[in-house]
Amino acid sequence: MSTSYLPAGLPIPVPEVDGLSTQYWEGLKKNEVWVQRCKDCRTWQWGPEWMCHACNSFDTGWEKIEAHGRIYSWERPWHPVHPALKGHGPYLIVLVEFPQYGNIRMIGNLLGDPHQTVEIGGKVSPVFEHHEDATPPFTLLQWTIET
Amino acid sequence: MATDSNRSLRGKVAIVGVGETPYYKHGMSPHSEFKLALMAIVAACRDAGLDPHDIDGIASYSNDRNDPSRLSAALGMKELRFANMQWGGGGGGGAAAVGNAAAAIAGGLSDVVVVFRALAQGQFARFGVGAATPTTAGDAAFQSPYGLMSPAQKFAMKTMRFMHDHGVGQEALRAIAMASYAHAQKNPRAVMYGRPLDEAAYDASRWIVEPFHLFDCCQENDGAAALIIVSADRAKDFAHKPSYLLGAQGGSDYRAGAPAHNVPNYGSSTFASVVPHLYRMAGIKPSEVDVLQNYENFTGGVLMSLVEHGFCAPDECNEFSTLENFMAPTGRLPMNTSGGNLAECYMHGLELQIEAVRQLRGDSTAQVPKVDISMVIAGPMVTPVSSMILGSEATL
Ligand SMILES: [Zn+2]
C-alpha cells in the first residue's frame, strides 16, 4: 500500500482467539481509539487485560478516547529485523503517553522524515493508517507531530 | 531473629565446579545443543572432582530446550530429585536458577544440583530476528506491525528514556562496550580475543537501533556452561576453593509485565524491587563488591543495572561509566573481566557466573587482587530478572 509508513509484509495484527483486544482493533477501522477503563474503580488500563489491576474487578469496560498524547520515548531502528524491512529504513517508533488517561501508553510510528529530531515530551496527534486490501484488513494507529 | 536467618540462603551452599564448552559464533557449533549441554556438565563435574552419576538435581532458565529427564538418563544419574526451570526469557533467570538450586539443597530436596544453559542457535531460530508469521496477536500485535520486534528494539526505547531523564551521554554506553572488549583481549577463550575495540571504531560502527550501535549489542553464540552446587558443609570436599552463595534474588518491579510498554517504572533494568532483598540476604553494601559481572544484552541495561544496584546515582552515570573505572585490576569497579556477553561469549550469562567463580579462586585472565565478594547481575530489562552475590570463606 502506497499510503503506509512501513512496507507491506510485516505481521498483520489480529485480536486474540479469546477476543480480549477486539474492541480496540475494530475501533481503529472506524477512526476511533478505545481503551479499557474499569467500571468499578474508573482506573484506565492499557494494554487490555481480563481484570482491572487496581481493584481486581472483572468488569473492565471500554471507553473511547481523544488520542492526543505526548512522546514518552522513541527510537530509530536501522537494522532490518524482518524480510519486509530489508533495504528500508531508518524509521521511527514512538511510545506515546496520555497524561489525561492515567498515563497509559501506546506504540506507533512517527510519520514524516525518518531523520527528524524527536523531542521527548513533544505533542502528537493520531493518524489512522487503513490497510483495506490486506488479508485480513486492519488499521494501524500512527502518530504525527502536533502543529 | 532466628526466623529471619532460617529464611536465608546466606552461606548455605557453594559452587564447587564450573565447566564450559568451547564458545562458537552462532551456527558454528559442530555439536548438537544437547551434546553441548552434556559436555559442559561433564566438564563442571571434572572441575569439581565429582562423578556425574552423583548429580541429583538439574536447574536451568530461559526455557532451555534440553529436558532434565533426558539429561539425567544420558548422564546415568542414579536419581533425579530436583528438576527446575526459572520462568522468563533472555538471561534474566541466570542468578535465580542458582537461587532455586540453593533453596532445593538448603531445604533438603536435593544434594548436588547442576545449573546449566546450552544454546545452539544454528540448530534453532536466532534471537535477533523477528518471527516471519503472517498475523500476530496479543502483546506482539501492538509492536511488530510497527517494526518493533527484536530485543534490541524493545530495550532501546527504555534506554532512550533513561538517558533523557538523567542526561546520559553515548560515551557512558561506549565505556561499557570497551571494557568488555578490553578484558576479552586477555582471555583466549573469548570469541573476540584478538579483536580489540577502540573509541573510533565504536563511534563509526553502524546503528542497530538508536541509541545502540552494533557494539552495544551482545553476540549470538553456540555453546554451553554449567555450575555444580552442593551444601556448604560438603564444599571443602571438592578440588577447588568453594564460592559460597551469600545472596540470590529473582523477580521484577510492580507491573513489569504490563503489555505494550506500560510498565510504570519504564527507564529501568527491572531491578528496583529485587535489589533490596539481595543485599539484605547477603548482608553487604554495594561498596563491598570487589568485582562485578554485569550481563550485557545491551549496554543500556548494564548502565541501568549499575544504578539500580546502588553503584552510582542516576545522575552520575557520565562520571562513573568510564573505561578506567571498569578495568581490572585497578578500576573502581572492575566489571565483565572475561569479556562478558559482548566479547567472551553470549551463553545467556552463565559464562559470567563462571567468571565470578574464577575471580574468587584467583584464576581469571584479568584477575582482581584479593577478591572476597564477587557479584553477578543477570539479564537486565526483561522480567523476571535476578542477581546473586558470591563470597570467599572469609565472608561467612
Ligand atoms: Zn478497578
Side-chain angles (χ1 to χ4, degrees):
Chain A
M1 298 213 21
S2 58
T3 53
S4 69
Y5 179 76
L6 292 176
L10 287 166
I12 292 172
V14 293
E16 308 80 349
V17 174
D18 61 20
L20 178 60
S21 63
T22 301
Q23 175 85 25
Y24 172 77
W25 293 111
E26 289 305 309
L28 291 185
K29 291 177 185 171
K30 296 178 277 185
N31 293 352
E32 294 170 357
V33 181
W34 291 77
V35 299
Q36 280 188 328
R37 188 176 195 188
C38 179
K39 287 182 176 170
D40 285 332
C41 78
R42 310 301 290 153
T43 294
W44 296 96
Q45 178 162 286
W46 195 249
E49 190 45 272
W50 291 110
M51 173 178 279
C52 166
H53 68 273
C55 75
N56 298 142
S57 167
F58 285 99
D59 208 359
T60 52
W62 289 83
E63 280 197 23
K64 191 167 76 168
I65 64 169
E66 297 301 319
H68 294 266
R70 63 187 186 198
I71 296 172
Y72 185 80
S73 192
W74 67 279
E75 64 186 6
R76 191 172 358 240
W78 292 72
H79 179 73
V81 292
H82 188 277
L85 295 168
K86 289 248 160 64
H88 184 82
Y91 55 97
L92 283 168
I93 303 172
V94 286
L95 182 60
V96 175
E97 185 181 58
F98 304 99
Q100 68 276 39
Y101 303 119
N103 295 311
I104 59 170
R105 304 180 198 130
M106 290 185 175
I107 294 159
N109 297 121
L110 181 65
L111 305 185
D113 180 3
H115 297 277
Q116 68 186 285
T117 302
V118 182
E119 301 286 352
I120 286 179
K123 291 181 176 172
V124 290
S125 302
V127 175
F128 297 89
E129 186 185 280
H130 299 291
H131 295 246
E132 285 146 348
D133 299 336
T135 311
F138 66 101
T139 298
L140 290 182
L141 182 56
Q142 302 284 30
W143 304 97
T144 183
I145 297 290
E146 207 164 288
T147 47
Chain B
M1 301 296 284
T3 308
D4 277 344
S5 66
N6 284 343
R7 295 184 60 225
S8 170
L9 296 171
R10 192 184 200 284
K12 299 269 173 68
V13 305
I15 299 172
V16 296
V18 296
E20 58 204 326
T21 66
Y23 293 141
Y24 304 96
K25 289 184 176 270
H26 68 83
M28 299 305 287
S29 169
H31 309 291
S32 75
E33 190 176 83
F34 191 79
K35 184 179 174 189
L36 289 168
L38 292 171
M39 289 165 67
I41 292 169
V42 167
C45 289
R46 192 173 302 128
D47 177 67
L50 173 80
D51 183 343
H53 298 142
D54 292 332
I55 297 170
D56 67 0
I58 297 178
S60 189
Y61 57 100
S62 200
N63 311 312
D64 192 283
R65 287 174 285 250
N66 301 287
D67 177 72
S69 294
R70 184 180 167 199
L71 286 168
S72 173
L75 290 163
M77 285 165 48
K78 291 170 198 146
E79 58 175 336
L80 178 64
R81 296 171 64 197
F82 181 66
N84 169 259
M85 169 59 64
Q86 170 74 8
W87 280 358
V98 173
N100 295 342
I105 292 168
L109 303 180
S110 196
D111 288 331
V112 181
V113 180
V114 61
V115 173
F116 82 99
R117 182 81 178 104
L119 278 171
Q121 297 199 68
Q123 195 179 341
F124 299 96
R126 289 181 62 187
F127 293 110
V129 180
T133 51
T135 62
T136 180
D139 196 16
F142 301 121
Q143 304 183 59
S144 41
Y146 300 106
L148 200 172
M149 301 173 143
S150 69
Q153 294 173 333
K154 189 169 177 187
F155 300 133
M157 204 124 77
K158 290 170 87 70
T159 302
M160 188 71 90
R161 179 71 200 198
F162 178 83
M163 292 172 79
H164 168 82
D165 284 345
H166 302 292
V168 179
Q170 194 75 34
E171 296 78 6
L173 303 189
R174 183 175 68 190
I176 292 163
M178 289 185 61
S180 292
Y181 271 80
H183 285 134
Q185 303 319 309
K186 300 178 179 179
N187 176 5
R189 297 182 311 274
V191 172
M192 295 300 173
Y193 180 66
R195 295 181 61 186
L197 175 68
D198 61 22
E199 290 183 356
Y202 173 94
D203 292 345
S205 69
R206 64 192 172 95
W207 289 113
I208 299 300
V209 47
E210 294 175 47
F212 295 153
H213 283 277
L214 174 67
F215 291 110
D216 292 301
C217 306
C218 62
Q219 314 174 66
E220 296 184 60
N221 296 110
D222 291 356
L227 313 168
I228 303 291
I229 303 174
V230 301
S231 71
D233 52 21
R234 300 179 55 190
K236 288 184 184 169
D237 299 344
F238 296 89
H240 294 281
K241 193 168 123 181
S243 297
Y244 294 93
L245 185 70
L246 301 183
Q249 183 70 45
S252 49
D253 225 355
Y254 173 64
R255 301 196 75 228
H261 294 231
N262 274 267
V263 53
N265 183 14
Y266 187 72
S268 162
S269 56
T270 328
F271 278 105
S273 63
V274 171
V275 165
H277 300 293
L278 174 76
Y279 284 130
R280 192 181 318 119
M281 182 184 286
I284 67 148
K285 303 188 294 288
S287 59
E288 295 174 79
V289 174
D290 295 311
V291 59
L292 172 66
Q293 311 305 323
N294 192 350
Y295 190 111
E296 330 99 295
N297 37 15
F298 306 98
T299 53
V302 177
L303 194 60
M304 293 189 284
S305 291
L306 286 168
V307 168
E308 290 184 335
H309 285 78
F311 293 109
C312 78
D315 295 329
E316 293 170 353
C317 285
N318 293 327
E319 294 75 34
F320 187 82
S321 184
T322 64
L323 180 61
E324 187 187 7
N325 277 351
F326 295 144
M327 284 304 292
T330 54
R332 192 165 146 195
L333 180 66
M335 183 173 83
N336 298 337
T337 48
S338 66
N341 285 323
L342 293 180
E344 185 187 30
C345 174
Y346 182 63
M347 199 36 56
H348 262 174
L350 213 56
E351 86 287 351
L352 296 174
Q353 304 196 17
I354 291 177
E355 175 65 8
V357 168
R358 285 200 180 99
Q359 285 284 356
L360 276 169
R361 291 180 179 180
D363 55 13
S364 167
T365 51
Q367 183 64 44
V368 173
K370 209 185 158 318
V371 173
D372 282 306
I373 295 185
S374 185
M375 179 161 161
V376 181
I377 299 173
M381 302 184 285
V382 302
T383 171
V385 292
S386 60
S387 301
M388 69 181 201
I389 300 173
L390 302 176
S392 67
E393 189 178 8
T395 63
L396 297 179

